[in-house]
Every structure is written in C-alpha cells, then in structure tokens.
C-alpha cells in the first residue's frame, strides 16, 4: 500500500523575465593581488576595549577570503574572523600582517594612528 511517487522533472513551469542561462555574477575570477590595495588599521571601537587589526579592501570571493583569514590567523598565532569582506585579527599585528600580505603580492596601506 505504498504511495505513488511523481517523477521529478526539470521542466520549467513559469519564467517571467530574462534569460535563466545568464552567468552568475559571483563566479567571476578574483583579480590578482597586485591589483588590490588593502588597508590595515587597528581598532578598539565597539569591541569592549579589545584591540583588533582590521584588513579591508579585498576584491575576492568569500572562499578565497576564508582561506586567507585562516593563513593570517596562523601567521600571527591569534584568533580572528571574516566579516563583510574585512578580516579581523585579534591584537595589534599590523606589521606582521603587512609583511605577509606584501610577500603574497598585495599592495598595503596603513590607515589611522
């Protein structure tokens, strides 16, 4: 007394606008590091007095940024996170991060005091 299962089909039932075979805008390749200028700053604002090094200015896919975040945290021996295309590393690691990113080919600027 099993239930009848309908065969699954990939048939389009309704499409209002446009071409569904348009390329996905998030699948574009990352620009090379030499074409990206990153900004490094140290911030304590909104973090209950804790110092955090923030790196911004990335033009890369989230998976690429996640891998880079992991490498930067390991380089500094500190924790951190990826938020809104900005990498935050706990502590003041401006110089270590700048040196590592320059070796990877990025252009780096220090922002703030």
């Amino acid at each position: 007394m099993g239930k009848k299962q309908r065969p699954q089909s990939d048939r389009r039932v309704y499409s209002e606008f446009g071409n569904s075979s348009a390329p996905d805008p998030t699948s574009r390749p990352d620009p090379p590091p030499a074409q990206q200028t990153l900004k490094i700053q140290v911030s304590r604002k909104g973090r209950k007095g804790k110092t955090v090094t923030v790196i911004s200015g990335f033009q890369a896919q989230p998976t690429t940024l996640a891998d880079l975040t992991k490498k930067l945290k390991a380089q500094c021996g500190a924790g951190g996170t990826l938020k809104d295309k900005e990498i935050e590393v706990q502590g003041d690691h401006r110089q270590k991060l700048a040196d590592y990113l320059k070796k990877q080919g990025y252009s780096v600027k220090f922002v703030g005091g």
Side-chain angles (χ1 to χ4, degrees):
M1 309 280 177
K3 294 182 179 182
K4 285 186 178 180
Q5 291 185 352
R6 285 190 228 160
Q8 296 291 329
S9 69
D10 292 334
R11 174 174 77 100
R12 179 176 302 165
V13 177
Y14 177 78
S15 177
E16 187 172 342
F17 297 109
N19 185 359
S20 66
S21 65
D24 185 15
T26 59
S27 66
R28 61 181 157 71
D30 295 339
Q35 293 180 0
Q36 299 183 46
T37 301
L38 306 181
K39 297 175 184 170
I40 300 178
Q41 68 182 19
V42 174
S43 175
R44 295 171 69 176
K45 191 173 184 177
R47 294 176 176 87
K48 300 180 183 178
K50 305 287 183 183
T51 303
V52 175
T53 306
V54 180
I55 307 166
S56 59
F58 290 103
Q59 302 168 0
Q61 301 295 324
T63 54
T64 305
L65 290 178
D67 292 340
L68 185 60
T69 301
K70 187 174 180 178
K71 291 175 185 176
L72 292 174
K73 291 186 323 184
Q75 186 72 23
C76 296
T81 188
L82 172 63
K83 289 184 182 176
D84 302 324
K85 289 197 170 188
E86 291 185 345
I87 297 176
E88 298 179 0
V89 179
Q90 296 173 355
D92 185 355
H93 300 285
R94 280 180 287 199
Q95 199 58 51
K96 281 184 189 177
L97 294 172
D99 292 342
Y100 181 79
L101 290 168
K102 285 179 184 176
K103 285 181 185 175
Q104 299 302 313
Y106 291 96
S107 174
V108 178
K109 286 185 180 178
F110 291 109
V111 178

